[in-house]
Amino acid sequence: MNWGSFLDIARRCPSPHNTQPWKARVLDDDTLLLCVDRARTLPDEDVTGCFIWCAMGMFVESVRIVAANAGIG
């Protein structure tokens, strides 16, 4: 699998307040490590963390859609 092309498209997905707080690191052909970039969070506005949960879910779903479009489930 070519993670680079999937991530290049998926990283453009929207997120609350347009923060895109994710960092993704490819571990191997089948594994992607997804982390929150704390420098891109909004601690004063997102006191419950709900924006982060939404943003990360949106990114994961974007990766899934891009992969499905390439025929990878």
Side-chain angles (χ1 to χ4, degrees):
M1 173 186 308
N2 182 358
W3 282 108
S5 61
F6 292 172
L7 295 177
D8 187 48
I9 296 168
R11 71 180 175 83
R12 296 177 182 160
C13 79
S15 67
H17 296 280
N18 201 30
T19 58
Q20 285 83 24
W22 46 76
K23 279 193 173 187
R25 184 170 43 151
V26 176
L27 299 180
D28 59 43
D29 285 347
D30 298 319
T31 310
L32 180 71
L33 178 64
L34 182 59
C35 302
V36 173
D37 181 353
R38 291 208 178 268
R40 298 192 57 87
T41 63
L42 301 169
D44 294 333
E45 295 84 359
D46 186 18
V47 295
T48 64
C50 65
F51 292 155
I52 295 297
W53 282 105
C54 289
M56 299 308 269
M58 293 162 79
F59 179 75
V60 168
E61 183 64 8
S62 293
V63 170
R64 190 197 66 77
I65 290 168
V66 173
N69 191 47
I72 298 170

Coordinates of all heavy atoms in Angstrom, one line a residue:
M1 N 0.8 -1.2 0.0 CA 0.0 0.0 0.0 C 0.9 1.2 0.0 O 1.9 1.3 0.7 CB -0.9 0.0 1.2 CG -1.7 1.3 1.4 SD -2.6 1.4 3.0 CE -3.5 -0.1 3.0
N2 N 0.5 2.2 -0.7 CA 1.2 3.5 -0.8 C 0.5 4.5 0.1 O -0.4 5.2 -0.3 CB 1.3 4.0 -2.2 CG 2.1 5.3 -2.3 OD1 2.6 5.8 -1.3 ND2 2.2 5.8 -3.5
W3 N 1.0 4.5 1.4 CA 0.3 5.4 2.4 C 0.5 6.9 1.9 O -0.4 7.7 2.2 CB 1.0 5.2 3.7 CG 0.5 4.1 4.5 CD1 1.3 2.9 4.7 CD2 -0.7 3.9 5.1 NE1 0.5 2.0 5.5 CE2 -0.7 2.6 5.7 CE3 -1.9 4.6 5.2 CZ2 -1.8 2.1 6.4 CZ3 -2.9 4.1 5.9 CH2 -2.9 2.9 6.5
G4 N 1.6 7.2 1.3 CA 1.8 8.6 0.9 C 0.7 9.2 0.1 O 0.3 10.3 0.4
S5 N 0.2 8.5 -0.9 CA -0.8 9.1 -1.7 C -2.1 9.2 -1.0 O -2.9 10.2 -1.1 CB -1.0 8.3 -3.0 OG -1.4 7.0 -2.7
F6 N -2.4 8.2 -0.1 CA -3.7 8.3 0.7 C -3.6 9.4 1.7 O -4.6 10.2 1.8 CB -3.8 7.0 1.5 CG -4.1 5.8 0.7 CD1 -4.2 4.5 1.2 CD2 -4.4 5.8 -0.7 CE1 -4.4 3.4 0.5 CE2 -4.7 4.7 -1.5 CZ -4.7 3.5 -0.8
L7 N -2.5 9.6 2.4 CA -2.4 10.6 3.4 C -2.3 12.0 2.8 O -2.8 12.9 3.4 CB -1.1 10.4 4.2 CG -1.1 9.1 5.0 CD1 0.2 8.9 5.8 CD2 -2.3 9.1 6.0
D8 N -1.8 12.1 1.6 CA -1.7 13.4 0.9 C -3.1 13.9 0.6 O -3.4 15.1 0.8 CB -0.9 13.3 -0.4 CG -0.7 14.7 -1.0 OD1 -0.3 15.6 -0.3 OD2 -1.0 14.8 -2.2
I9 N -4.0 13.0 0.3 CA -5.4 13.4 0.0 C -6.2 13.6 1.3 O -6.8 14.6 1.6 CB -6.1 12.4 -0.9 CG1 -5.5 12.4 -2.2 CG2 -7.6 12.7 -1.0 CD1 -5.9 11.2 -3.1
A10 N -6.1 12.6 2.2 CA -6.8 12.6 3.5 C -6.5 13.8 4.4 O -7.3 14.3 5.1 CB -6.7 11.3 4.2
R11 N -5.2 14.2 4.4 CA -4.8 15.3 5.3 C -5.6 16.6 5.0 O -5.6 17.5 5.8 CB -3.3 15.5 5.2 CG -2.8 16.1 4.0 CD -1.3 16.3 4.0 NE -0.9 16.8 2.7 CZ -0.9 18.1 2.3 NH1 -1.3 19.0 3.2 NH2 -0.4 18.4 1.2
R12 N -6.2 16.7 3.9 CA -6.9 17.9 3.5 C -8.4 17.9 4.0 O -9.1 18.9 3.7 CB -6.9 18.1 2.0 CG -5.5 18.2 1.5 CD -5.4 18.3 0.0 NE -3.9 18.5 -0.3 CZ -3.4 18.2 -1.4 NH1 -4.2 17.8 -2.4 NH2 -2.1 18.3 -1.6
C13 N -8.7 16.9 4.7 CA -10.1 16.9 5.2 C -10.4 18.0 6.2 O -9.4 18.5 6.8 CB -10.5 15.5 5.8 SG -9.9 15.2 7.4
P14 N -11.6 18.5 6.3 CA -11.9 19.6 7.2 C -11.8 19.1 8.7 O -11.8 17.9 9.0 CB -13.3 19.9 6.9 CG -13.9 18.7 6.3 CD -12.8 18.0 5.6
S15 N -11.6 20.0 9.6 CA -11.7 19.7 11.0 C -12.2 20.9 11.7 O -12.2 22.0 11.2 CB -10.3 19.4 11.5 OG -9.4 20.5 11.5
P16 N -12.7 20.7 13.0 CA -13.3 21.9 13.7 C -12.2 23.0 13.8 O -11.1 22.7 14.1 CB -13.6 21.2 15.1 CG -13.9 19.8 14.8 CD -12.9 19.5 13.7
H17 N -12.6 24.1 13.5 CA -11.8 25.3 13.6 C -10.6 25.2 12.6 O -9.6 26.0 12.8 CB -11.3 25.6 15.0 CG -12.4 25.9 15.9 ND1 -13.0 27.2 16.0 CD2 -13.1 25.2 16.9 CE1 -13.9 27.2 16.9 NE2 -14.0 26.0 17.5
N18 N -10.7 24.3 11.7 CA -9.6 24.1 10.7 C -8.2 23.9 11.3 O -7.3 24.4 10.8 CB -9.6 25.3 9.7 CG -9.0 24.9 8.4 OD1 -9.0 23.8 7.9 ND2 -8.4 25.9 7.7
T19 N -8.2 23.2 12.4 CA -6.9 23.0 13.0 C -6.1 21.8 12.5 O -4.8 21.8 12.6 CB -7.1 22.7 14.5 OG1 -7.9 21.6 14.7 CG2 -7.7 23.9 15.2
Q20 N -6.7 20.8 11.9 CA -6.0 19.6 11.4 C -5.0 19.1 12.5 O -3.8 19.2 12.2 CB -5.3 19.8 10.1 CG -6.3 19.8 8.9 CD -6.9 21.2 8.7 OE1 -6.4 22.2 9.1 NE2 -8.1 21.2 8.1
P21 N -5.4 18.7 13.6 CA -4.5 18.4 14.7 C -3.8 17.0 14.7 O -3.3 16.5 15.6 CB -5.4 18.4 16.0 CG -6.7 18.0 15.4 CD -6.8 18.5 14.0
W22 N -3.9 16.3 13.5 CA -3.4 15.0 13.4 C -1.9 15.0 12.9 O -1.5 15.8 12.2 CB -4.2 14.1 12.5 CG -4.5 14.8 11.2 CD1 -3.7 15.0 10.2 CD2 -5.8 15.4 10.9 NE1 -4.4 15.7 9.2 CE2 -5.6 16.0 9.6 CE3 -7.0 15.6 11.6 CZ2 -6.6 16.7 9.0 CZ3 -8.0 16.3 10.9 CH2 -7.8 16.8 9.6
K23 N -1.2 13.9 13.4 CA 0.1 13.6 12.9 C 0.0 12.1 12.6 O -0.5 11.3 13.4 CB 1.2 13.8 13.9 CG 1.6 15.2 13.9 CD 2.9 15.3 14.7 CE 3.4 16.8 14.6 NZ 4.8 16.9 15.1
A24 N 0.4 11.7 11.4 CA 0.4 10.3 11.0 C 1.8 9.8 10.7 O 2.6 10.5 10.0 CB -0.5 10.1 9.8
R25 N 2.1 8.6 11.2 CA 3.4 8.0 10.9 C 3.2 6.6 10.4 O 2.5 5.8 11.1 CB 4.3 8.0 12.1 CG 5.7 7.5 11.8 CD 6.7 7.7 13.0 NE 6.0 7.4 14.3 CZ 6.7 6.9 15.3 NH1 8.0 6.8 15.2 NH2 6.1 6.7 16.4
V26 N 3.8 6.3 9.3 CA 3.6 5.0 8.7 C 4.6 4.1 9.4 O 5.8 4.4 9.5 CB 3.9 5.0 7.2 CG1 3.9 3.6 6.6 CG2 2.9 5.9 6.5
L27 N 4.1 3.0 10.0 CA 5.0 2.0 10.7 C 5.4 0.9 9.8 O 6.5 0.4 9.8 CB 4.2 1.5 11.9 CG 3.9 2.5 13.0 CD1 3.2 1.8 14.2 CD2 5.1 3.3 13.5
D28 N 4.4 0.4 8.9 CA 4.7 -0.6 7.9 C 3.6 -0.5 6.9 O 2.8 0.4 6.9 CB 4.9 -2.0 8.5 CG 3.7 -2.5 9.2 OD1 2.6 -2.3 8.8 OD2 3.9 -3.1 10.3
D29 N 3.6 -1.4 5.9 CA 2.6 -1.4 4.9 C 1.2 -1.5 5.3 O 0.3 -1.1 4.7 CB 2.9 -2.6 3.9 CG 4.1 -2.3 3.0 OD1 4.6 -1.2 3.0 OD2 4.5 -3.3 2.3
D30 N 1.0 -2.1 6.5 CA -0.4 -2.3 7.0 C -0.7 -1.4 8.2 O -1.9 -1.5 8.7 CB -0.6 -3.7 7.4 CG -0.4 -4.7 6.2 OD1 -0.9 -4.3 5.1 OD2 0.2 -5.7 6.4
T31 N 0.2 -0.6 8.7 CA 0.0 0.0 10.0 C 0.4 1.5 9.9 O 1.4 1.9 9.5 CB 0.8 -0.6 11.1 OG1 0.6 -2.0 11.1 CG2 0.5 -0.1 12.5
L32 N -0.6 2.3 10.4 CA -0.4 3.8 10.5 C -0.6 4.2 11.9 O -1.6 3.8 12.6 CB -1.4 4.4 9.6 CG -1.4 6.0 9.5 CD1 -0.2 6.4 8.8 CD2 -2.7 6.5 8.9
L33 N 0.3 4.9 12.5 CA 0.2 5.4 13.8 C -0.4 6.9 13.7 O 0.2 7.7 13.1 CB 1.6 5.5 14.5 CG 1.6 6.0 15.9 CD1 0.8 5.2 16.9 CD2 3.0 6.2 16.4
L34 N -1.5 7.1 14.4 CA -2.1 8.4 14.4 C -2.0 9.0 15.7 O -2.4 8.4 16.7 CB -3.6 8.2 14.0 CG -4.4 9.4 13.8 CD1 -3.9 10.4 12.7 CD2 -5.9 9.1 13.5
C35 N -1.5 10.2 15.8 CA -1.3 11.0 17.0 C -1.9 12.4 16.9 O -2.1 12.9 15.8 CB 0.2 11.1 17.3 SG 1.0 9.5 17.4
V36 N -2.2 12.9 18.1 CA -2.6 14.3 18.1 C -1.4 15.2 18.3 O -0.6 15.0 19.1 CB -3.6 14.5 19.4 CG1 -3.9 16.0 19.5 CG2 -4.8 13.7 19.2
D37 N -1.3 16.2 17.4 CA -0.3 17.3 17.5 C -0.8 18.3 18.5 O -1.6 19.2 18.1 CB 0.0 17.8 16.1 CG 1.0 18.9 16.1 OD1 1.5 19.3 17.2 OD2 1.4 19.3 15.0
R38 N -0.3 18.3 19.7 CA -0.8 19.2 20.7 C -0.6 20.7 20.4 O -1.4 21.5 20.8 CB -0.2 18.9 22.1 CG -0.6 17.6 22.6 CD -0.6 17.6 24.1 NE -1.0 16.3 24.7 CZ -2.3 16.1 25.0 NH1 -3.2 17.0 24.9 NH2 -2.6 14.9 25.5
A39 N 0.3 21.0 19.5 CA 0.6 22.4 19.1 C -0.6 22.9 18.2 O -0.7 24.1 18.1 CB 1.9 22.5 18.3
R40 N -1.4 21.9 17.7 CA -2.5 22.3 16.8 C -3.9 22.2 17.5 O -4.9 22.1 16.8 CB -2.4 21.6 15.5 CG -1.2 21.9 14.8 CD -1.2 21.3 13.4 NE -2.3 21.9 12.6 CZ -2.3 23.0 11.9 NH1 -1.2 23.8 11.9 NH2 -3.3 23.4 11.2
T41 N -3.9 22.1 18.8 CA -5.2 21.9 19.5 C -5.6 23.3 20.1 O -4.9 24.2 20.0 CB -5.0 20.9 20.7 OG1 -4.1 21.4 21.7 CG2 -4.6 19.6 20.2
L42 N -6.8 23.3 20.5 CA -7.4 24.6 21.1 C -7.8 24.3 22.5 O -9.0 24.2 22.8 CB -8.6 25.0 20.2 CG -8.3 25.2 18.8 CD1 -9.6 25.3 18.0 CD2 -7.5 26.5 18.6
P43 N -6.9 24.3 23.5 CA -7.2 24.0 24.8 C -8.2 24.9 25.5 O -9.0 24.5 26.4 CB -5.9 24.0 25.6 CG -4.9 24.7 24.7 CD -5.5 24.6 23.3
D44 N -8.2 26.2 25.1 CA -9.1 27.1 25.7 C -10.5 27.0 25.2 O -11.5 27.2 25.9 CB -8.6 28.6 25.5 CG -7.3 28.9 26.3 OD1 -7.1 28.2 27.3 OD2 -6.6 29.7 25.8
E45 N -10.6 26.7 23.9 CA -11.9 26.5 23.2 C -12.5 25.1 23.4 O -13.7 24.9 23.4 CB -11.8 26.9 21.8 CG -11.5 28.3 21.5 CD -10.0 28.6 21.5 OE1 -9.2 27.7 21.8 OE2 -9.6 29.8 21.3
D46 N -11.6 24.1 23.4 CA -12.1 22.7 23.4 C -11.7 22.1 24.8 O -11.0 21.1 24.8 CB -11.4 22.0 22.3 CG -11.8 20.6 22.1 OD1 -12.9 20.2 22.6 OD2 -11.1 19.8 21.4
V47 N -12.4 22.6 25.8 CA -12.1 22.1 27.1 C -12.5 20.6 27.4 O -11.9 20.0 28.2 CB -12.7 23.0 28.2 CG1 -12.1 24.4 28.1 CG2 -14.2 23.1 28.1
T48 N -13.4 20.1 26.6 CA -13.8 18.7 26.8 C -13.1 17.8 25.8 O -13.2 16.6 26.0 CB -15.3 18.6 26.6 OG1 -15.7 18.9 25.2 CG2 -16.1 19.4 27.6
G49 N -12.4 18.3 24.9 CA -11.7 17.4 23.9 C -12.6 17.0 22.7 O -12.2 16.2 21.9
C50 N -13.9 17.5 22.7 CA -14.8 17.0 21.6 C -14.3 17.4 20.2 O -14.5 16.6 19.3 CB -16.2 17.4 21.9 SG -16.5 19.2 21.8
F51 N -13.7 18.5 20.1 CA -13.2 18.9 18.7 C -12.1 18.0 18.3 O -12.1 17.6 17.1 CB -12.6 20.3 18.8 CG -13.6 21.4 19.0 CD1 -13.2 22.6 19.5 CD2 -15.0 21.3 18.7 CE1 -14.2 23.7 19.7 CE2 -15.9 22.3 18.9 CZ -15.5 23.5 19.4
I52 N -11.2 17.6 19.2 CA -10.2 16.6 18.8 C -10.8 15.3 18.4 O -10.3 14.7 17.4 CB -9.2 16.4 20.0 CG1 -8.5 17.7 20.4 CG2 -8.2 15.3 19.8 CD1 -7.6 18.2 19.3
W53 N -11.7 14.8 19.2 CA -12.3 13.5 18.8 C -13.0 13.6 17.4 O -12.8 12.7 16.6 CB -13.4 13.1 19.9 CG -12.8 12.5 21.1 CD1 -12.7 13.1 22.3 CD2 -12.2 11.2 21.2 NE1 -12.0 12.2 23.2 CE2 -11.8 11.0 22.5 CE3 -12.0 10.1 20.3 CZ2 -11.1 9.9 23.0 CZ3 -11.4 9.0 20.8 CH2 -11.0 8.9 22.1
C54 N -13.7 14.7 17.2 CA -14.3 14.9 15.9 C -13.3 14.9 14.8 O -13.4 14.3 13.7 CB -15.2 16.1 15.9 SG -16.7 16.0 16.8
A55 N -12.2 15.7 15.0 CA -11.2 15.9 14.0 C -10.5 14.6 13.6 O -10.3 14.3 12.5 CB -10.2 16.9 14.4
M56 N -10.2 13.8 14.7 CA -9.5 12.6 14.4 C -10.4 11.6 13.7 O -9.9 10.9 12.8 CB -9.0 12.0 15.8 CG -8.0 12.9 16.5 SD -6.6 13.4 15.5 CE -5.4 12.1 15.8
G57 N -11.6 11.6 14.1 CA -12.6 10.7 13.4 C -12.8 11.1 11.9 O -12.9 10.2 11.0
M58 N -12.8 12.4 11.7 CA -12.9 12.9 10.3 C -11.7 12.4 9.5 O -11.8 12.0 8.3 CB -13.1 14.4 10.3 CG -14.4 14.8 10.9 SD -14.5 16.5 11.4 CE -14.7 17.3 9.8
F59 N -10.5 12.5 10.1 CA -9.3 12.1 9.4 C -9.3 10.6 9.1 O -9.0 10.2 8.0 CB -8.1 12.5 10.2 CG -6.8 12.1 9.5 CD1 -6.3 12.8 8.4 CD2 -6.1 11.0 9.9 CE1 -5.2 12.4 7.8 CE2 -4.9 10.6 9.3 CZ -4.5 11.3 8.2
V60 N -9.7 9.8 10.1 CA -9.7 8.4 9.9 C -10.7 8.0 8.8 O -10.4 7.2 7.9 CB -10.0 7.6 11.2 CG1 -10.4 6.2 11.0 CG2 -8.9 7.8 12.2
E61 N -11.9 8.6 8.8 CA -12.9 8.3 7.8 C -12.4 8.8 6.4 O -12.6 8.1 5.4 CB -14.2 9.0 8.1 CG -15.3 8.7 7.2 CD -15.8 7.3 7.1 OE1 -15.3 6.5 7.9 OE2 -16.6 7.0 6.2
S62 N -11.7 9.9 6.4 CA -11.1 10.3 5.1 C -10.1 9.3 4.5 O -10.1 9.0 3.3 CB -10.4 11.7 5.2 OG -11.4 12.7 5.5
V63 N -9.3 8.8 5.4 CA -8.3 7.7 5.0 C -9.1 6.5 4.5 O -8.7 5.9 3.4 CB -7.3 7.3 6.1 CG1 -6.5 6.1 5.7 CG2 -6.4 8.5 6.5
R64 N -10.1 6.1 5.2 CA -10.9 5.0 4.8 C -11.6 5.2 3.4 O -11.6 4.3 2.6 CB -12.0 4.7 5.8 CG -12.7 3.4 5.6 CD -14.0 3.3 6.3 NE -15.0 4.2 5.9 CZ -15.7 4.1 4.7 NH1 -15.5 3.1 3.9 NH2 -16.6 5.0 4.4
I65 N -12.1 6.4 3.2 CA -12.7 6.7 1.9 C -11.7 6.7 0.8 O -12.0 6.1 -0.3 CB -13.5 8.0 2.0 CG1 -14.7 7.9 2.9 CG2 -13.9 8.5 0.6 CD1 -15.3 9.2 3.2
V66 N -10.6 7.3 1.0 CA -9.5 7.3 0.0 C -9.1 5.9 -0.3 O -8.9 5.5 -1.5 CB -8.4 8.2 0.4 CG1 -7.2 8.1 -0.6 CG2 -8.8 9.6 0.5
A67 N -8.9 5.1 0.7 CA -8.4 3.7 0.5 C -9.5 2.9 -0.2 O -9.2 2.1 -1.2 CB -8.1 3.0 1.8
A68 N -10.8 3.0 0.1 CA -11.9 2.3 -0.5 C -11.9 2.7 -2.0 O -12.2 1.9 -2.9 CB -13.2 2.6 0.2
N69 N -11.7 4.0 -2.3 CA -11.7 4.4 -3.7 C -10.6 3.8 -4.5 O -10.7 3.6 -5.7 CB -11.5 5.9 -3.7 CG -11.8 6.5 -5.1 OD1 -12.8 6.1 -5.8 ND2 -10.9 7.4 -5.6
A70 N -9.5 3.4 -3.8 CA -8.4 2.7 -4.5 C -8.6 1.2 -4.4 O -7.7 0.4 -4.9 CB -7.1 3.1 -3.8
G71 N -9.7 0.7 -3.9 CA -10.0 -0.7 -3.9 C -9.4 -1.5 -2.7 O -9.3 -2.7 -2.7
I72 N -9.0 -0.7 -1.7 CA -8.5 -1.3 -0.5 C -9.5 -1.2 0.7 O -9.9 0.0 1.0 CB -7.1 -0.7 -0.1 CG1 -6.1 -0.9 -1.2 CG2 -6.6 -1.2 1.2 CD1 -4.9 -0.1 -1.1
G73 N -9.9 -2.3 1.3 CA -10.9 -2.2 2.3 C -10.3 -2.0 3.7 O -9.1 -2.0 3.9

